[in-house]
């Protein structure tokens, strides 16, 4: 496990290489990416809930209904 002096040395080297401005810009871009990802997920959920459920047709017909339909067709 690294000691606190090793961690401090790595942090100082990163700041020297990239500079404070670049690191804050990268963090800002990272935060924007996370926000847009969450927004995309929430829009997808809204689209799913806004879509109405498809209607189903009950195709079962009882014998009494079919006999009544045949009588109507033959009588007129």
């Amino acid at each position: 496990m690294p000691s606190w002096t090793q961690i401090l040395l790595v942090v100082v080297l990163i700041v020297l290489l990239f500079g404070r401005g670049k690191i804050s810009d990268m963090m800002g871009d990272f935060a924007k990416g996370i926000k847009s990802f969450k927004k995309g997920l929430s829009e997808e959920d809204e689209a799913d809930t806004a879509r109405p459920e498809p209607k189903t047709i009950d195709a079962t017909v009882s014998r009494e209904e079919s006999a009544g339909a045949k009588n109507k067709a033959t009588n007129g």
Side-chain angles (χ1 to χ4, degrees):
M1 181 128 150
S3 68
W4 66 273
T5 55
Q6 291 172 335
I7 294 172
L8 182 65
L9 181 65
V10 170
V11 169
V12 168
L13 286 175
I14 290 174
V15 169
L16 287 175
L17 288 174
F18 293 109
R20 286 187 348 192
K22 282 211 174 202
I23 293 174
S24 65
D25 289 344
M26 286 190 320
M27 288 295 121
D29 291 341
F30 184 71
K32 287 179 186 176
I34 290 173
K35 286 180 184 177
S36 66
F37 178 74
K38 287 182 179 179
K39 182 180 177 184
L41 287 178
S42 67
E43 286 176 355
E44 184 178 299
D45 290 342
E46 290 173 3
D48 287 343
T49 58
R51 196 176 325 147
E53 299 241 351
K55 295 182 180 178
T56 58
I57 299 172
D58 187 17
T60 59
V61 179
S62 67
R63 288 185 176 178
E64 295 169 358
E65 291 175 357
S66 62
K70 285 182 184 177
N71 287 340
K72 285 184 183 178
T74 56
N75 290 337

